[in-house]
Amino acid sequence: MAVIVQKFGGTSVADTAKIRAAAQRALDAQSQGHQVVMVVSAMGKSTDRLVDLAAELTETPPSRDMDMLLSTGEQVSVALVSMAIHEMGGKAFSMTGSQLGIATDSHHTKAKILTIAGDRIREKLDSGHIVVACGFQGIDPEGNITTLGRGGSDTSAVALAAALRPSQCIIHTDVDGVYTTDPRVAKDASKLPEISFEEMLELAGMGAGVMHSRSIEIGKRYGIPIYVRCSFNENPGSWIYTHPGTPRRPVSGAALLRNESRVTVLGVPDVPGAARTIFSGIAKKNVAVDMIVQNASDDGRTEISFTVQKGDFSDTLSAAKAAADELGASGIDFENDVAKISIVGLGMADTPGVAAKMFQTLADAGINILMITTSEIKVSVLVAKTDAEQALQAVHSAFGLHELGAAEADANPDYFQAGSGAVSVDDLAKELDTDTADRSGEHVEQVSMDAIRLHDGQSLVSIAGVPDEPGFAARVFGQIAAAGINVDMIVQDAGVGGKANIGFTVEREQLDDCVALLEKMTAEQSLGAITSRREIAKLSVAGVGLRSHTDIADRLFNALANAQVNVALINTSEVLINVLVSLNEAEKAQAALKQEFADVLIGD
Ligand code: ADP
Ligand code: ASP
Ligand code: MG
């Protein structure tokens, strides 16, 4: 019999009436012949209240005690939900993380799930119970209570679905599904009938708080379809999964991270191993780094800029300072009131000019871009925090995202039909061709790499000392796109001292055209020094868990430094890490990475 995991977020169990309604949904699913596991969050904003309570006592609560405290919220919910089911004539069994057998590592407040022992849950399901599971929590090897990080109940739910296959996972929340952007920020956001795992992962990592990004990693790894719908109505929701017919839209959604910090290490000696020294110290503090930009070397010294979430800023700054001292770098610069806007789309790389259009849109709105990074399916820009919402809205409109959801729903009403719960788990499994083996006992949150590929046909173009003002990137990339030149990776650094640097890659056969175009532009308007490196190769590491496992970036930089490979440009995303190296060092670099990651590399 198929298992349905139904997750209910905080607002969905905020009071006893809502708890009754949630219980009814579980009873309905059970009466349709499914075995039901409910995964329940703490009521309403109760986790926030617990955090505030701790803050009244101390600025630095021991993380083990924090987990002891925060895990209580979910325990309240499961007890009440179970009582409601009993009162309604059903059979329910409430369980904490440890009773569920959710084993985690020992990183308090951000633990990762190792394994889930499915036996006790199965036993209760087989005897006709609805299992009411505490989300967000587990137990470490020493028996300590752990939590998975804020918003982590989604991850508990998908992990339980993975352990109890064949299964499907339904996320009940306070909005009708996955929208093209946060509907509370952009009122005209449209609901998407479906979105791929890869896009949802990038969006979640870039601020789309509707799903905890690690839950999508598990969904992608195990091919578990996830359906997001509202607790309070019967409206159709959104499917998250990737299948042969997944739409490859140039842009599927936009996201905003409000509280970011930018850190720049100045005057870094441009030698192999510099990036390792900086990022390994940060990774050891379990901080995920984003938007890494290393500009073209000047007098043998470079600047390395990156962003972290503001909550990680003080840990990051102390690690960066230690690294700067060790390297003999000239100093650190940082900025705290910055926000990140990202657009994500599976078909982005097939559609020239997407990045240019985003830059133009921001220029038209008079918004200055502080930093840029792009990967195959994502463009992220850093802007001043005060510009953030206007920037998001402008970009959302420019790509027509307000109309996207409705247009697709009209074109394919079946998706919404499927979402009503009418589709059977078996049909879905067949459609997705997923394997339905029992995987309890597997490390559900482990990192896995599909491939470490080498693209050897690229060249790198750099423009140094560009004016740090609105419209520059728009002009440059607008004209490049108009000339039919395809740009791949783009980075723009922080513009410390009022001058920024832009680096990007083009196909090698288009390099001369590109440089000629830029020189022509220079004659007409001041650009900045243009340099190029013809023989560059891009190494792409593709997989799941590349950013959430902070040691991966550390291992990558280590392996390249040990192989004496100098890295010209880097970008990281949830599903891809791209590294540019000299063409003559590329094979050596690829071999070093394959050796380093042999334990997690499952593809070529
Ligand atoms: P829950 O408590 O149910 O887990 P969350 O507050 O964690 O709910 O997530 C739901 C919220 O996510 C919505 O209320 C919405 O404001 C926000 N959100 C952010 N981005 C998106 C998006 N792209 N689509 C839908 N909701 C989004
Ligand atoms: N209650 C936890 C939180 O508020 C977990 C969750 O809701 O997903 O972060
Ligand atoms: Mg949530």
Side-chain angles (χ1 to χ4, degrees):
M1 196 189 285
V3 173
I4 290 200
V5 176
Q6 294 186 329
K7 182 251 172 179
F8 292 87
T11 31
S12 306
V13 290
D15 55 40
T16 46
K18 290 186 173 130
I19 284 177
R20 258 190 226 106
Q24 189 61 53
R25 288 210 166 168
L27 285 164
D28 290 348
Q30 194 185 41
S31 67
Q32 286 163 14
H34 300 289
Q35 293 192 325
V36 182
V37 176
M38 296 174 81
V39 175
V40 188
S41 293
M43 292 172 71
K45 300 246 170 277
S46 60
T47 310
D48 291 338
R49 280 198 293 279
L50 294 171
V51 170
D52 292 346
L53 261 181
E56 281 178 31
L57 289 170
T58 167
E59 271 181 23
T60 50
S63 55
R64 181 180 178 279
D65 293 326
M66 212 51 199
D67 279 349
M68 189 69 90
L69 176 70
L70 296 192
S71 61
T72 60
E74 272 66 18
Q75 203 171 321
V76 170
S77 297
V78 292
L80 293 172
V81 170
S82 178
M83 286 175 199
I85 295 173
H86 282 285
E87 181 58 27
M88 292 157 90
K91 277 171 81 176
F93 195 81
S94 55
M95 297 173 90
T96 64
S98 88
Q99 290 168 348
L100 290 158
I102 299 185
T104 72
D105 63 27
S106 301
H107 282 291
H108 283 293
T109 74
K110 38 182 150 179
K112 291 210 173 67
I113 299 177
L114 298 173
T115 56
I116 297 184
D119 346 347
R120 185 126 187 252
I121 306 172
R122 291 235 186 245
E123 186 192 310
K124 292 296 162 196
L125 291 174
D126 289 344
S127 56
H129 291 86
I130 292 172
V131 168
V132 190
C134 283
F136 179 54
Q137 57 176 256
I139 188 155
D140 83 350
E142 276 77 54
N144 299 301
I145 295 176
T146 53
T147 65
L148 308 181
R150 296 303 306 272
S153 293
D154 299 327
T155 294
S156 310
V158 184
L160 279 162
L164 298 169
R165 296 173 71 180
S167 58
Q168 68 167 282
C169 185
I170 302 179
I171 304 288
H172 291 88
T173 184
D174 57 359
V175 284
D176 281 3
V178 177
Y179 283 70
T180 47
T181 195
D182 188 340
R184 293 183 207 283
V185 178
K187 292 277 171 275
D188 61 351
S190 63
K191 182 175 60 183
L192 293 168
E194 65 166 320
I195 185 165
S196 66
F197 287 126
E198 294 75 12
E199 291 167 314
M200 191 67 240
L201 240 177
E202 298 290 4
L203 285 170
M206 291 299 115
V210 63
M211 293 298 296
H212 197 232
S213 64
R214 282 159 47 198
S215 68
I216 311 299
E217 293 181 351
I218 302 172
K220 174 171 155 64
R221 182 173 301 119
Y222 293 96
I224 296 169
I226 301 170
Y227 189 64
V228 182
R229 61 175 301 190
C230 185
S231 278
F232 313 126
N233 62 44
E234 293 299 322
N235 295 344
S238 308
W239 283 109
I240 304 170
Y241 66 26
T242 308
H243 57 102
T246 296
R248 296 179 65 80
R249 314 173 186 111
V251 182
S252 283
L256 162 63
L257 273 171
R258 276 197 186 78
N259 296 308
E260 293 285 285
S261 298
R262 187 265 303 163
V263 177
T264 303
V265 186
L266 303 163
V268 179
D270 189 14
V271 293
R276 159 177 60 184
T277 307
I278 295 171
F279 295 115
S280 71
I282 298 170
K284 289 204 175 70
K285 302 206 173 184
N286 225 350
V287 172
V289 169
D290 190 36
M291 287 187 99
I292 302 174
V293 178
Q294 175 173 357
N295 73 27
S297 182
D298 183 18
D299 305 337
R301 300 224 161 213
T302 69
E303 284 169 14
I304 298 183
S305 297
F306 52 91
T307 59
V308 295
Q309 299 205 349
K310 203 168 173 179
D312 290 325
F313 175 68
S314 58
D315 275 353
T316 305
L317 189 63
S318 60
K321 277 191 171 142
D325 288 348
E326 191 182 329
L327 288 167
S330 55
I332 306 260
D333 184 82
F334 59 82
E335 207 171 356
N336 267 317
D337 291 319
V338 288
K340 191 184 299 169
I341 314 283
S342 304
I343 53 172
V344 173
L346 268 190
M348 193 175 277
D350 318 330
T351 317
V354 172
K357 184 167 172 179
M358 180 175 186
F359 305 152
Q360 188 61 53
T361 304
L362 295 170
D364 292 345
I367 293 167
N368 194 22
I369 300 174
L370 305 173
M371 244 168 115
I372 301 170
T373 56
T374 69
S375 78
E376 277 75 350
I377 66 167
K378 180 176 79 172
V379 181
S380 294
V381 300
L382 201 69
V383 299
K385 205 173 160 179
T386 43
D387 289 334
E389 296 207 356
Q390 191 202 348
L392 180 78
Q393 186 71 63
V395 168
H396 187 263
S397 304
F399 287 100
L401 298 181
H402 52 295
E403 294 164 346
L404 181 63
E408 289 191 2
D410 288 347
N412 195 351
D414 287 352
Y415 277 112
F416 281 162
Q417 204 49 48
S420 67
V423 74
S424 79
V425 176
D426 296 341
D427 286 348
L428 262 181
K430 237 181 277 150
E431 183 181 344
L432 296 170
D433 193 29
T434 55
D435 88 81
T436 49
D438 180 353
R439 301 214 174 229
S440 47
E442 246 180 50
H443 279 206
V444 284
E445 286 206 74
Q446 76 205 340
V447 64
S448 55
M449 280 182 194
D450 306 328
I452 300 175
R453 284 198 202 94
L454 184 62
H455 310 266
D456 55 9
Q458 295 202 324
S459 297
L460 173 63
V461 182
S462 307
I463 310 174
V466 305
D468 186 18
E469 64 190 29
F472 187 81
R475 265 202 320 277
V476 170
F477 291 105
Q479 297 209 21
I480 290 175
I485 296 168
N486 291 330
V487 171
D488 181 16
M489 280 165 82
I490 303 176
V491 300
Q492 180 201 301
D493 70 11
V496 177
K499 294 277 180 192
N501 300 280
I502 293 181
F504 59 94
T505 59
V506 294
E507 293 300 318
R508 195 166 301 132
E509 60 259 32
Q510 292 191 308
L511 174 66
D512 293 336
D513 289 350
C514 183
V515 171
L517 176 74
L518 291 174
E519 274 163 3
K520 190 163 147 268
M521 284 178 73
T522 309
E524 289 158 12
Q525 55 191 251
S526 97
L527 274 190
I530 297 158
T531 50
S532 62
R533 279 174 70 179
R534 186 171 294 274
E535 312 244 292
I536 277 284
K538 179 169 84 169
L539 276 169
S540 295
V541 179
V544 179
L546 303 181
R547 239 163 60 80
S548 57
H549 291 256
T550 55
D551 63 313
I552 291 296
D554 188 23
R555 288 173 61 184
L556 178 130
F557 289 125
N558 242 314
L560 293 176
N562 290 340
Q564 292 292 309
V565 173
N566 207 356
V567 174
L569 218 131
I570 309 154
N571 68 37
T572 61
S573 75
E574 305 294 325
V575 292
L576 266 180
I577 302 179
N578 289 318
V579 187
L580 279 193
V581 299
S582 287
L583 185 60
N584 60 9
E585 292 184 337
E587 284 183 8
K588 180 172 78 169
Q590 186 186 28
L593 292 185
K594 283 193 171 175
Q595 192 186 349
E596 171 64 35
F597 292 117
D599 58 329
V600 288
L601 186 61
I602 48 180
D604 51 345

